Amino acid sequence: MYIADFFFTSCTTICPTMHRSMKTIFDKYKDNPDVMFLSHTIDFKYDKPSVLKKYAQKLGVDGPKWQFAYGSKDSIYKIAEKDYLVAVIEDSTAKEGYVHQGWLILIDKQKRIRGAYDGTNPEQVAQLTKDIPVLLAEDKK
């Protein structure tokens, strides 16, 4: 199972809060091989793989457990909207050039969405934290 999100490294609004929330969950499950993390950058212009690597190092999650995905605008935005049901828009009128939702999406081993949680809302992050062991137990049945 894994937790996915959409972000960009230069974001100063919701992304730092989302990734602090994910980092807390990461620290709790970093030794559990059944829980992974996947962050997709929406900044296809700046967030090249080398930038993502530095970002992961700064966050303290540089390794195979938490992957940072880079792709073309079309591919990442299509994945966000069609597969994860997350809104992602490049918007020149927005403060930082992008508008996106701060969802942390819980995906089970069958690649089904099992929950979407506002990564900036402590109550919803707490619910995600409670739902992970339930899903892990379900997978063991």
Side-chain angles (χ1 to χ4, degrees):
M1 67 191 279
Y2 66 98
I3 300 165
D5 76 322
F6 292 83
F7 84 110
F8 58 106
T9 63
S10 61
C11 177
T12 61
T13 57
I14 65 173
C15 299
T17 303
M18 289 166 46
H19 278 171
R20 277 192 298 275
S21 298
M22 277 183 74
K23 175 71 163 71
T24 300
I25 298 167
F26 172 87
D27 289 341
K28 185 172 183 175
Y29 288 97
K30 65 183 171 191
D31 296 324
N32 186 324
D34 293 325
V35 181
M36 301 292 289
F37 299 81
L38 177 61
S39 292
H40 306 80
T41 182
I42 62 170
D43 186 348
F44 54 94
K45 296 174 193 163
Y46 176 75
D47 285 347
K48 305 296 184 199
S50 61
V51 172
L52 294 174
K53 178 137 179 91
K54 287 178 190 162
Y55 180 85
Q57 290 168 339
K58 184 178 177 186
L59 195 57
V61 297
D62 184 30
K65 186 88 173 154
W66 189 337
Q67 296 291 310
F68 290 83
Y70 167 82
S72 69
K73 175 183 177 181
D74 290 345
S75 64
I76 294 296
Y77 287 35
K78 181 180 176 190
I79 289 168
E81 294 171 7
K82 302 286 186 221
D83 297 330
Y84 291 101
L85 309 176
V86 174
V88 175
I89 304 162
E90 186 178 20
D91 183 352
S92 61
T93 64
K95 179 183 170 193
E96 296 178 310
Y98 299 95
V99 175
H100 67 102
Q101 294 174 303
W103 296 112
L104 306 180
I105 304 115
L106 182 60
I107 308 294
D108 69 15
K109 286 188 176 184
Q110 289 74 43
K111 298 184 173 85
R112 297 176 298 197
I113 296 174
R114 297 300 292 270
Y117 312 81
D118 181 345
T120 66
N121 180 313
E123 291 82 24
Q124 290 197 25
V125 173
Q127 185 62 54
L128 168 58
T129 304
K130 290 176 189 171
D131 289 347
I132 293 170
V134 171
L135 195 52
L136 287 170
E138 182 181 294
D139 284 339
K140 297 210 185 308
K141 288 181 181 175

